[in-house]
Amino acid sequence: MHQDTDSGIMASVENKRAPGAPFYTPVQSPPAGTALDPATAPTLYQPLKIKDMTLQNRFVVSPMCQYSADDGHLTDWHFSHLSQFIIRGAALTIVEATPSLRTGESHLYEDSGLWKDSQIAPLKRIVDFAHSQGQKIGIQLGHAGRKASTLAPWLRSGGKPGIVASKEHGGWGDNVWAPSAIPVVEDDFAMPKEMSTDNIKELLQAFKDAARRAVEAGFDTIEIHGAHGYLITSFLSPITNHRTDNYGGSFENRTRLLFETIAAVREVIPASMPLLLRISATEWMEYTGQPSWTLEDSIKLAKLLPAAGIDLLDVSSGGNNEAQKIEVHPYYQIDLTAKIREELKKDGINLLLGAVGMISNAEMAYSIVQEGKHEANGFSTSEGHTSKADLVLMARQFLREPEFPLRVAHQLGVEVKWPIQYHRAGWRKNQKI
């Protein structure tokens, strides 16, 4: 408080502290990335409530493996990497794929981990920072399955996708788990062991323990990784799952591990916490004429997810077979998401969807989530336009442009909140950037 010497009026000025933060930082009210006039903003800048978690816009930072952890413990690299998105308006940032078992890592000790309590503290540091900025943060839990015990990608040679790490370098190629003993690529990945029922029980308990630790760290949401050829994917696919017990054969049996994982996680997290799932909607192996995991299987699965406890389905594709054939174009995965949404609506099933893959500009992000007719600074959607997804998830685009939510807002002509410390940095109206 200070005395105005000219008027004699007492004035009070307070740089308010962010509530609950374990360190001083000014309160961001509203959080960066919030539309200042949400009533006229496009859907991309409308709030979205998922159980007790409310996002101020529809931008999500996808999990991005950094292969930079120390025995599963996140480091200052991860804090720096993730905080750049948190302060620049991403409504939800998801920490990279995090195994619940030591042998669930894909890249040795360099992967993030949640298989022991000491790994909670560095995660909580990032969670606390996100919350101090008014933003939400999640973590993706998974298991690498038959892709485990490989070297970091920049250590591989000859363009090979795998390269098994030796025991000398901390590998465990003799104890890699999978539904069946089928390697990703012979000689480039380990020959996996078919999981026993005891292994499956151990895995489910590990997911449960990791979810408990995630809650203790303060995360707002958890995503289960069921995509890209990792363990859950390989159980779903008849190409990689040749089991003859209750976890193989029929669609019901091949999806059993996924549903048991969902139940294990749901058992230990608050009922109010959203639970997300990422899947590969297709293996892109239909051309072979042989049984594989297809879009039709994903639609069937999606219809069962709300009752199982999933609040949002994050739709990716591929990653389980080197022989996959993809006709790549900017919307090749967005179209999969749209088809799932269309089929869910036919049955009156409400399940939020996230779109991912090659989203790199304002027009794409805007059109994917926009519901109904709208005009925004030269961008527009027509009468009857329906959204393909509720959220857009990006990784590489955020690496290129950490300020992507702020940049897109400027391009769409939407006035949004910047971090208060950056209040002088906003672009002028109609300024070309």
Side-chain angles (χ1 to χ4, degrees):
M1 184 174 289
H2 69 275
Q3 176 80 33
D4 187 318
T5 55
D6 293 327
S7 64
I9 298 172
M10 296 296 290
S12 178
V13 178
E14 182 184 2
N15 196 6
K16 291 185 178 179
R17 180 191 186 105
F23 50 87
Y24 175 76
T25 184
V27 65
Q28 304 283 347
S29 182
T34 302
L36 299 185
D37 184 9
T40 61
T43 306
L44 192 58
Y45 290 92
Q46 293 285 346
L48 179 66
K49 193 172 190 296
I50 315 175
K51 277 196 159 57
D52 277 4
M53 180 178 73
T54 299
L55 308 179
Q56 79 274 23
N57 61 48
R58 308 302 180 90
F59 291 93
V60 179
V61 179
S62 271
M64 290 181 266
C65 291
Q66 298 295 290
Y67 321 115
S68 300
D70 182 4
D71 188 21
H73 299 79
L74 297 199
T75 69
D76 283 357
W77 170 264
H78 301 90
F79 186 91
S80 177
H81 164 65
L82 295 170
S83 63
Q84 64 181 323
F85 315 125
I86 290 167
I87 66 174
R88 290 175 171 86
L92 172 63
T93 300
I94 304 179
V95 174
E96 65 190 71
T98 302
S100 51
L101 279 171
R102 172 66 185 83
T103 54
E105 291 180 288
S106 59
H107 297 93
L108 311 179
Y109 290 93
E110 297 99 29
D111 275 346
S112 169
L114 251 186
W115 63 80
K116 55 185 176 182
D117 288 352
S118 62
Q119 293 159 340
I120 296 172
L123 287 166
K124 189 176 187 305
R125 180 182 176 221
I126 295 172
V127 169
D128 287 344
F129 181 76
H131 290 165
S132 77
Q133 304 306 301
Q135 309 291 21
K136 305 302 181 186
I137 186 164
I139 188 168
Q140 186 185 68
L141 299 181
H143 188 290
R146 63 201 191 113
K147 290 186 173 183
S149 191
T150 56
L151 298 175
W154 49 79
L155 297 176
R156 303 169 190 174
S157 61
K160 290 185 177 182
I163 307 299
V164 180
S166 66
K167 286 188 176 181
E168 178 188 359
H169 295 101
W172 58 93
D174 58 349
N175 191 34
V176 169
W177 290 0
S180 303
I182 302 171
V184 180
V185 179
E186 288 190 30
D187 300 326
D188 288 342
F189 288 84
M191 174 60 73
K193 290 182 177 180
E194 179 173 313
M195 291 175 70
S196 67
T197 53
D198 284 343
N199 291 152
I200 290 173
K201 289 177 183 176
E202 182 181 353
L203 175 76
L204 294 172
Q205 183 61 50
F207 264 100
K208 187 182 295 188
D209 292 341
R212 172 188 57 77
R213 294 183 182 108
V215 172
E216 187 173 337
F219 283 100
D220 300 291
T221 186
I222 290 172
E223 179 173 80
I224 295 171
H225 197 347
H228 304 157
Y230 296 113
L231 187 64
I232 289 175
T233 317
S234 59
F235 267 87
L236 296 176
S237 169
I239 295 177
T240 47
N241 183 347
H242 294 180
R243 300 176 73 94
T244 57
D245 62 2
N246 289 337
Y247 291 92
S250 67
F251 174 90
E252 180 183 6
N253 283 355
R254 285 182 285 110
T255 58
R256 189 180 305 279
L257 178 66
L258 170 58
F259 283 110
E260 289 182 348
T261 302
I262 294 169
V265 172
R266 265 279 166 228
E267 186 179 331
V268 295
I269 66 175
S272 59
M273 176 184 278
L275 183 57
L276 285 52
L277 170 67
R278 172 171 283 196
I279 64 166
S280 286
T282 173
E283 292 184 87
W284 301 108
M285 295 291 288
E286 293 88 345
Y287 77 93
T288 66
Q290 299 300 312
S292 64
W293 184 265
T294 66
L295 177 59
E296 288 68 32
D297 291 315
S298 291
I299 291 168
K300 185 176 179 180
L301 175 67
K303 292 179 179 181
L304 301 173
L305 293 176
I310 294 296
D311 301 293
L312 183 142
L313 178 63
D314 172 5
V315 183
S316 189
S317 71
N320 198 43
N321 290 277
E322 291 299 304
Q324 64 187 18
K325 287 188 178 180
I326 306 173
E327 293 183 14
V328 177
H329 58 85
Y331 285 84
Y332 83 98
Q333 289 190 160
I334 312 305
D335 291 344
L336 299 172
T337 314
K339 184 62 176 176
I340 292 173
R341 163 150 288 184
E342 179 184 330
E343 294 301 318
L344 288 170
K345 284 186 174 180
K346 284 180 183 178
D347 287 0
I349 297 173
N350 293 316
L351 175 65
L352 295 172
L353 296 177
V356 62
M358 300 184 74
I359 302 168
S360 59
N361 57 65
E363 183 178 6
M364 279 190 76
Y366 170 72
S367 65
I368 288 167
V369 303
Q370 182 59 40
E371 190 65 40
K373 185 177 181 180
H374 189 271
E375 293 186 6
N377 204 29
F379 298 84
S380 64
T381 53
S382 59
E383 195 73 44
H385 181 86
T386 58
S387 62
K388 297 176 176 64
D390 301 283
L391 295 170
V392 285
L393 297 97
M394 289 154 288
R396 294 176 196 178
Q397 190 57 31
F398 270 112
L399 294 180
R400 300 181 191 107
E401 297 178 326
E403 76 286 354
F404 192 63
L406 304 177
R407 181 178 291 266
V408 169
H410 178 74
Q411 292 169 334
L412 294 176
V414 180
E415 194 174 356
V416 297
K417 182 74 162 46
W418 278 56
I420 57 172
Q421 297 95 323
Y422 292 5
H423 69 282
R424 294 182 178 179
W427 298 286
R428 299 186 308 275
K429 189 175 182 180
N430 297 322
Q431 178 183 351
K432 288 190 176 182
I433 59 171

